[in-house]
Amino acid sequence: MIDLRSDTLTRPTDAMREAMARAEVGDDVYGEDPTVTALEERVAQMFGHEAALFTPTGSMANVLAVASVVAPGQEVLCESSAHIARAELGAHGAITGLTMRTWTAPRGQVDLAAIEAMHAPDMGPFFVRTAAVSVENTHNFAGGAVLPLDDLAALRAWADTTGTRLHLDGARLWNAHVATGTPLADYGRIADVMAVCLSKGLGAPVGSLMVGSADAVAEARVRRKRMGGGMRQVGILAAAGAYALDHHVERLAEDHEHARLLGEALGLDPADVDTNIVVVERPDAQAFVSAAADQGVRIAAVGPRTVRLVTHLDVSRTDAERAAGVLASLA
Protein backbone atom coordinates (compact mmCIF):
# COMPACT_ATOMS: atom_id res chain seq x y z
CA MET A 1 0.00 0.00 0.00
CA ILE A 2 1.36 3.41 -1.01
CA ASP A 3 0.20 5.90 1.61
CA LEU A 4 -0.22 9.47 0.39
CA ARG A 5 -2.66 10.68 3.02
CA SER A 6 -0.15 12.95 4.78
CA ASP A 7 3.54 13.65 5.27
CA THR A 8 2.96 13.04 8.98
CA LEU A 9 3.05 9.32 8.20
CA THR A 10 6.82 9.15 7.86
CA ARG A 11 8.71 6.76 10.13
CA PRO A 12 12.12 7.49 11.66
CA THR A 13 15.01 6.17 9.63
CA ASP A 14 17.49 3.81 11.25
CA ALA A 15 20.05 6.62 11.47
CA MET A 16 17.50 8.91 13.12
CA ARG A 17 16.68 6.19 15.66
CA GLU A 18 20.38 5.88 16.46
CA ALA A 19 20.62 9.63 17.04
CA MET A 20 17.61 9.44 19.35
CA ALA A 21 19.15 6.59 21.32
CA ARG A 22 22.38 8.54 21.82
CA ALA A 23 20.72 11.79 22.87
CA GLU A 24 21.91 13.47 26.05
CA VAL A 25 18.82 14.25 28.12
CA GLY A 26 17.64 16.07 31.23
CA ASP A 27 14.37 17.37 32.64
CA ASP A 28 13.12 19.95 30.16
CA VAL A 29 10.46 21.31 32.52
CA TYR A 30 13.41 22.46 34.62
CA GLY A 31 15.13 23.70 31.47
CA GLU A 32 17.83 21.06 31.89
CA ASP A 33 17.65 19.01 28.69
CA PRO A 34 20.73 20.01 26.67
CA THR A 35 19.51 18.44 23.44
CA VAL A 36 16.26 20.41 23.56
CA THR A 37 18.05 23.63 24.43
CA ALA A 38 20.47 23.18 21.53
CA LEU A 39 17.61 22.55 19.10
CA GLU A 40 15.67 25.59 20.31
CA GLU A 41 18.71 27.84 19.98
CA ARG A 42 19.52 26.46 16.55
CA VAL A 43 16.04 26.98 15.13
CA ALA A 44 15.75 30.48 16.60
CA GLN A 45 19.04 31.42 14.93
CA MET A 46 17.95 29.94 11.61
CA PHE A 47 15.07 32.42 11.45
CA GLY A 48 16.86 35.36 13.06
CA HIS A 49 14.74 35.36 16.23
CA GLU A 50 15.71 35.47 19.87
CA ALA A 51 14.24 32.21 21.11
CA ALA A 52 12.24 29.10 20.31
CA LEU A 53 10.19 26.57 22.27
CA PHE A 54 9.89 22.86 21.52
CA THR A 55 6.31 21.56 21.51
CA PRO A 56 4.78 18.13 20.91
CA THR A 57 2.55 19.30 18.05
CA GLY A 58 2.26 21.95 15.40
CA SER A 59 -1.19 22.89 16.64
CA MET A 60 0.21 23.64 20.09
CA ALA A 61 3.03 25.70 18.57
CA ASN A 62 0.46 27.72 16.62
CA VAL A 63 -1.80 28.24 19.64
CA LEU A 64 1.15 29.43 21.72
CA ALA A 65 2.45 31.69 18.96
CA VAL A 66 -0.88 33.34 18.19
CA ALA A 67 -1.69 33.75 21.89
CA SER A 68 1.54 35.68 22.33
CA VAL A 69 0.29 38.42 19.99
CA VAL A 70 -3.52 38.24 20.35
CA ALA A 71 -5.14 38.78 23.75
CA PRO A 72 -8.51 37.28 24.77
CA GLY A 73 -11.31 39.17 23.02
CA GLN A 74 -9.06 40.45 20.24
CA GLU A 75 -9.02 39.00 16.73
CA VAL A 76 -6.63 37.41 14.27
CA LEU A 77 -7.27 37.58 10.53
CA CYS A 78 -6.35 34.62 8.32
CA GLU A 79 -7.23 33.02 4.98
CA SER A 80 -10.46 31.01 5.11
CA SER A 81 -8.83 27.61 4.57
CA ALA A 82 -5.90 28.25 6.90
CA HIS A 83 -4.87 25.43 9.20
CA ILE A 84 -5.46 27.57 12.31
CA ALA A 85 -9.04 28.15 11.15
CA ARG A 86 -9.96 24.73 9.77
CA ALA A 87 -7.76 22.00 11.24
CA GLU A 88 -7.01 22.85 14.87
CA LEU A 89 -10.50 22.08 16.20
CA GLY A 90 -11.22 25.64 17.29
CA ALA A 91 -8.33 25.54 19.76
CA HIS A 92 -7.52 29.23 19.45
CA GLY A 93 -10.96 30.37 20.54
CA ALA A 94 -11.59 27.51 22.96
CA ILE A 95 -8.26 27.78 24.78
CA THR A 96 -7.11 31.39 24.45
CA GLY A 97 -10.38 33.28 23.98
CA LEU A 98 -9.54 35.09 20.76
CA THR A 99 -11.82 35.61 17.78
CA MET A 100 -11.07 35.10 14.10
CA ARG A 101 -12.17 36.51 10.77
CA THR A 102 -11.09 35.30 7.35
CA TRP A 103 -10.53 36.38 3.77
CA THR A 104 -10.68 34.01 0.79
CA ALA A 105 -8.06 34.02 -1.93
CA PRO A 106 -7.10 31.62 -4.71
CA ARG A 107 -4.40 29.20 -3.57
CA GLY A 108 -4.55 30.62 -0.05
CA GLN A 109 -2.61 33.72 -1.01
CA VAL A 110 -2.21 37.04 0.78
CA ASP A 111 -4.93 39.49 -0.31
CA LEU A 112 -3.63 42.74 1.10
CA ALA A 113 -6.60 44.78 -0.11
CA ALA A 114 -9.01 42.44 1.69
CA ILE A 115 -6.87 42.50 4.83
CA GLU A 116 -6.76 46.30 4.82
CA ALA A 117 -10.54 46.43 4.41
CA MET A 118 -11.13 43.97 7.26
CA HIS A 119 -8.62 45.47 9.67
CA ALA A 120 -10.27 46.97 12.76
CA PRO A 121 -8.17 49.43 14.74
CA ASP A 122 -8.58 50.04 18.44
CA MET A 123 -11.79 52.09 18.73
CA GLY A 124 -12.31 51.78 22.44
CA PRO A 125 -14.68 49.45 24.32
CA PHE A 126 -17.10 49.04 21.42
CA PHE A 127 -15.51 46.86 18.73
CA VAL A 128 -13.17 43.89 18.50
CA ARG A 129 -9.65 45.04 17.63
CA THR A 130 -7.53 43.30 15.01
CA ALA A 131 -4.33 42.39 16.84
CA ALA A 132 -2.67 40.14 14.27
CA VAL A 133 -2.74 38.61 10.81
CA SER A 134 -1.77 34.97 10.30
CA VAL A 135 -0.41 33.56 7.05
CA GLU A 136 0.42 29.94 6.21
CA ASN A 137 3.44 29.06 4.06
CA THR A 138 3.23 26.62 2.44
CA HIS A 139 -0.55 26.55 2.46
CA ASN A 140 -1.82 23.06 3.20
CA PHE A 141 -5.36 23.09 1.82
CA ALA A 142 -4.33 25.23 -1.13
CA GLY A 143 -2.25 22.34 -2.40
CA GLY A 144 1.05 23.23 -0.76
CA ALA A 145 1.09 26.65 -2.41
CA VAL A 146 4.02 28.93 -1.67
CA LEU A 147 3.29 32.51 -0.63
CA PRO A 148 5.63 34.82 -2.60
CA LEU A 149 8.15 36.66 -0.45
CA ASP A 150 7.24 39.98 -2.08
CA ASP A 151 3.63 39.58 -0.96
CA LEU A 152 4.74 38.75 2.56
CA ALA A 153 7.06 41.75 2.60
CA ALA A 154 4.22 44.03 1.50
CA LEU A 155 2.06 42.63 4.29
CA ARG A 156 4.88 43.23 6.77
CA ALA A 157 5.24 46.84 5.62
CA TRP A 158 1.50 47.44 6.01
CA ALA A 159 1.46 45.76 9.43
CA ASP A 160 4.23 48.05 10.62
CA THR A 161 2.13 51.11 9.74
CA THR A 162 -0.89 49.84 11.68
CA GLY A 163 0.75 48.23 14.70
CA THR A 164 -0.57 44.81 13.64
CA ARG A 165 1.45 41.73 14.53
CA LEU A 166 2.18 38.93 12.07
CA HIS A 167 2.04 35.20 12.78
CA LEU A 168 3.53 32.78 10.26
CA ASP A 169 2.30 29.20 10.32
CA GLY A 170 5.41 27.66 8.83
CA ALA A 171 4.62 24.01 9.44
CA ARG A 172 5.95 23.34 5.92
CA LEU A 173 8.12 26.43 5.57
CA TRP A 174 11.05 24.11 4.87
CA ASN A 175 9.26 23.14 1.65
CA ALA A 176 8.88 26.78 0.63
CA HIS A 177 12.55 27.35 1.37
CA VAL A 178 13.64 24.43 -0.82
CA ALA A 179 11.16 25.19 -3.62
CA THR A 180 12.14 28.85 -3.96
CA GLY A 181 15.65 29.08 -2.52
CA THR A 182 14.47 31.82 -0.18
CA PRO A 183 16.73 31.97 2.90
CA LEU A 184 15.00 30.97 6.13
CA ALA A 185 16.08 34.24 7.74
CA ASP A 186 14.15 36.19 5.06
CA TYR A 187 10.99 34.37 6.08
CA GLY A 188 11.85 34.96 9.73
CA ARG A 189 12.04 38.72 9.18
CA ILE A 190 8.43 38.73 8.00
CA ALA A 191 6.99 37.39 11.27
CA ASP A 192 6.72 38.57 14.84
CA VAL A 193 6.05 34.97 15.86
CA MET A 194 6.00 31.73 13.92
CA ALA A 195 5.68 27.98 14.18
CA VAL A 196 7.64 25.33 12.29
CA CYS A 197 7.16 21.57 12.25
CA LEU A 198 9.73 18.77 12.26
CA SER A 199 7.34 15.82 11.94
CA LYS A 200 5.97 16.41 8.45
CA GLY A 201 8.31 16.46 5.47
CA LEU A 202 11.41 16.38 7.65
CA GLY A 203 10.44 12.96 8.96
CA ALA A 204 10.83 13.34 12.74
CA PRO A 205 8.30 11.31 14.74
CA VAL A 206 7.19 14.21 16.96
CA GLY A 207 7.90 17.88 17.37
CA SER A 208 7.36 21.49 16.38
CA LEU A 209 8.75 24.79 17.60
CA MET A 210 7.28 28.17 18.34
CA VAL A 211 9.74 30.92 17.39
CA GLY A 212 9.72 34.53 18.53
CA SER A 213 11.10 37.03 20.99
CA ALA A 214 12.58 35.94 24.31
CA ASP A 215 9.61 37.47 26.14
CA ALA A 216 7.05 35.75 23.90
CA VAL A 217 8.75 32.39 24.34
CA ALA A 218 9.02 32.82 28.12
CA GLU A 219 5.27 33.48 28.26
CA ALA A 220 4.61 30.52 25.97
CA ARG A 221 6.68 28.21 28.17
CA VAL A 222 4.26 28.90 31.03
CA ARG A 223 1.23 28.46 28.79
CA ARG A 224 2.64 25.22 27.39
CA LYS A 225 2.87 23.79 30.91
CA ARG A 226 -0.68 24.93 31.66
CA MET A 227 -1.87 23.12 28.52
CA GLY A 228 -0.20 19.89 29.59
CA GLY A 229 2.73 20.27 27.22
CA GLY A 230 5.57 20.23 29.73
CA MET A 231 7.84 17.33 28.81
CA ARG A 232 10.66 15.72 30.76
CA GLN A 233 13.53 13.82 29.06
CA VAL A 234 12.31 14.96 25.68
CA GLY A 235 15.79 15.32 24.20
CA ILE A 236 15.18 11.89 22.71
CA LEU A 237 12.61 13.55 20.43
CA ALA A 238 14.59 16.75 19.95
CA ALA A 239 17.50 14.64 18.70
CA ALA A 240 15.25 13.34 15.92
CA GLY A 241 14.45 16.91 14.94
CA ALA A 242 18.12 17.88 14.91
CA TYR A 243 18.92 14.88 12.74
CA ALA A 244 16.12 15.86 10.36
CA LEU A 245 17.52 19.38 10.01
CA ASP A 246 20.94 17.93 9.22
CA HIS A 247 19.81 15.34 6.68
CA HIS A 248 16.23 15.80 5.45
CA VAL A 249 15.80 19.41 4.33
CA GLU A 250 17.37 19.45 0.87
CA ARG A 251 15.83 16.08 -0.05
CA LEU A 252 12.38 17.75 0.06
CA ALA A 253 13.02 18.59 -3.59
CA GLU A 254 12.47 14.90 -4.35
CA ASP A 255 9.03 15.06 -2.74
CA HIS A 256 8.18 18.10 -4.84
CA GLU A 257 9.17 16.27 -8.02
CA HIS A 258 7.03 13.28 -7.05
CA ALA A 259 4.07 15.56 -6.32
CA ARG A 260 4.31 17.14 -9.77
CA LEU A 261 4.22 13.64 -11.27
CA LEU A 262 1.03 12.86 -9.35
CA GLY A 263 -0.53 16.20 -10.20
CA GLU A 264 0.04 15.64 -13.90
CA ALA A 265 -1.55 12.19 -13.63
CA LEU A 266 -4.63 13.86 -12.14
CA GLY A 267 -4.90 16.43 -14.92
CA LEU A 268 -3.11 19.35 -13.29
CA ASP A 269 -0.41 21.49 -14.83
CA PRO A 270 2.74 20.35 -13.01
CA ALA A 271 3.84 23.99 -12.84
CA ASP A 272 0.91 24.62 -10.49
CA VAL A 273 2.21 22.06 -7.97
CA ASP A 274 4.58 24.15 -5.87
CA THR A 275 5.72 21.63 -3.29
CA ASN A 276 4.65 18.22 -1.92
CA ILE A 277 0.85 18.53 -1.75
CA VAL A 278 -1.67 17.92 -4.52
CA VAL A 279 -5.31 18.95 -4.05
CA VAL A 280 -7.88 18.08 -6.72
CA GLU A 281 -11.63 18.24 -7.06
CA ARG A 282 -13.66 15.10 -7.81
CA PRO A 283 -17.47 14.74 -7.94
CA ASP A 284 -17.43 12.27 -5.04
CA ALA A 285 -14.23 12.51 -3.03
CA GLN A 286 -14.91 9.51 -0.82
CA ALA A 287 -15.71 7.28 -3.77
CA PHE A 288 -12.47 8.32 -5.45
CA VAL A 289 -10.52 7.62 -2.24
CA SER A 290 -12.10 4.17 -1.97
CA ALA A 291 -11.36 3.32 -5.58
CA ALA A 292 -7.71 4.30 -5.16
CA ALA A 293 -7.43 2.24 -1.97
CA ASP A 294 -8.80 -0.79 -3.82
CA GLN A 295 -5.75 -0.49 -6.10
CA GLY A 296 -3.22 -0.02 -3.32
CA VAL A 297 -3.01 3.78 -3.04
CA ARG A 298 -4.22 5.56 0.08
CA ILE A 299 -5.24 9.20 -0.31
CA ALA A 300 -7.42 11.51 1.77
CA ALA A 301 -10.77 13.22 1.32
CA VAL A 302 -10.55 16.71 2.82
CA GLY A 303 -14.02 17.76 1.72
CA PRO A 304 -17.08 16.27 -0.02
CA ARG A 305 -15.51 16.93 -3.43
CA THR A 306 -11.87 17.56 -2.52
CA VAL A 307 -9.05 15.02 -2.44
CA ARG A 308 -5.52 15.56 -1.10
CA LEU A 309 -2.31 13.65 -1.79
CA VAL A 310 0.98 14.32 0.00
CA THR A 311 4.41 13.01 -0.95
CA HIS A 312 7.03 12.38 1.74
CA LEU A 313 10.16 10.61 2.88
CA ASP A 314 8.62 7.14 2.69
CA VAL A 315 7.39 7.51 -0.92
CA SER A 316 10.05 6.54 -3.45
CA ARG A 317 10.16 7.47 -7.13
CA THR A 318 8.92 3.97 -7.94
CA ASP A 319 6.03 4.43 -5.51
CA ALA A 320 5.15 7.78 -7.06
CA GLU A 321 5.16 6.36 -10.59
CA ARG A 322 2.99 3.43 -9.57
CA ALA A 323 0.55 5.71 -7.73
CA ALA A 324 0.42 8.05 -10.73
CA GLY A 325 -0.60 5.14 -12.94
CA VAL A 326 -3.37 4.12 -10.58
CA LEU A 327 -4.70 7.65 -10.20
CA ALA A 328 -4.57 8.35 -13.93
CA SER A 329 -6.69 5.25 -14.54
CA LEU A 330 -9.31 6.63 -12.14
CA ALA A 331 -9.24 10.21 -13.31
Side-chain angles (χ1 to χ4, degrees):
M1 184 70 75
I2 300 170
D3 203 332
L4 300 169
R5 290 173 298 163
S6 176
D7 48 7
T8 60
L9 295 164
T10 55
R11 293 159 295 182
T13 63
D14 289 342
M16 181 181 285
R17 290 174 186 269
E18 291 176 10
M20 295 168 70
R22 294 194 306 267
E24 184 181 358
V25 299
D27 191 325
D28 186 53
V29 173
Y30 285 97
E32 296 175 356
D33 191 306
T35 305
V36 174
T37 299
L39 178 66
E40 291 171 342
E41 292 175 352
R42 177 182 182 181
V43 172
Q45 291 171 4
M46 282 178 160
F47 293 101
H49 282 258
E50 293 178 341
L53 182 68
F54 188 68
T55 65
T57 70
S59 291
M60 181 179 284
N62 273 334
V63 168
L64 295 175
V66 175
S68 74
V69 292
V70 184
Q74 295 178 341
E75 73 175 4
V76 59
L77 306 181
C78 64
E79 203 276 327
S80 60
S81 58
H83 195 276
I84 68 166
R86 299 299 306 146
E88 296 179 7
L89 299 183
H92 297 266
I95 295 171
T96 70
L98 59 77
T99 66
M100 187 179 291
R101 285 190 295 151
T102 63
W103 74 89
T104 299
R107 290 170 54 80
Q109 298 294 302
V110 173
D111 186 338
L112 187 53
I115 294 167
E116 290 175 335
M118 294 171 64
H119 178 263
D122 187 353
M123 298 177 65
F126 306 102
F127 302 100
V128 173
R129 179 172 82 85
T130 303
V133 175
S134 175
V135 290
E136 183 179 339
N137 195 20
T138 64
H139 196 299
N140 183 349
F141 295 120
V146 174
L147 306 190
L149 186 64
D150 287 348
D151 291 353
L152 295 173
L155 178 63
R156 174 78 266 175
W158 168 82
D160 287 340
T161 68
T162 60
T164 305
R165 311 295 292 280
L166 289 187
H167 163 253
L168 172 56
D169 178 356
R172 294 180 176 86
L173 193 60
W174 319 104
N175 295 85
H177 160 65
V178 169
T180 65
T182 301
L184 294 173
D186 287 359
Y187 286 128
R189 278 190 284 272
I190 296 298
D192 294 289
V193 291
M194 55 192 298
V196 293
C197 186
L198 305 172
S199 63
K200 294 185 171 67
L202 296 192
V206 174
S208 291
L209 294 103
M210 172 205 164
V211 183
S213 69
D215 287 345
V217 168
E219 174 190 334
R221 189 175 297 274
V222 175
R223 192 184 296 274
R224 182 188 69 174
K225 183 68 162 63
R226 186 176 296 130
M227 293 170 63
M231 298 172 285
R232 303 295 180 174
Q233 288 72 31
V234 74
I236 292 173
L237 297 178
Y243 181 90
L245 291 175
D246 289 337
H247 299 282
H248 291 169
V249 175
E250 296 307 321
R251 64 147 308 280
L252 292 172
E254 298 174 20
D255 297 341
H256 301 171
E257 183 179 346
H258 297 164
R260 287 190 288 272
L261 180 67
L262 295 171
E264 186 173 20
L266 288 165
L268 300 180
D269 183 344
D272 291 336
V273 180
D274 290 348
T275 55
N276 70 319
I277 301 176
V278 178
V279 173
V280 293
E281 297 295 312
R282 290 295 179 265
D284 185 335
Q286 196 56 58
F288 190 80
V289 167
S290 297
D294 288 342
Q295 296 192 46
V297 178
R298 300 184 78 177
I299 57 179
V302 294
R305 291 175 296 279
T306 307
V307 174
R308 187 186 72 167
L309 307 82
V310 189
T311 55
H312 53 79
L313 181 65
D314 290 349
V315 176
S316 68
R317 176 72 182 193
T318 300
D319 292 334
E321 291 174 347
R322 179 185 156 210
V326 168
L327 296 169
S329 72
L330 301 174

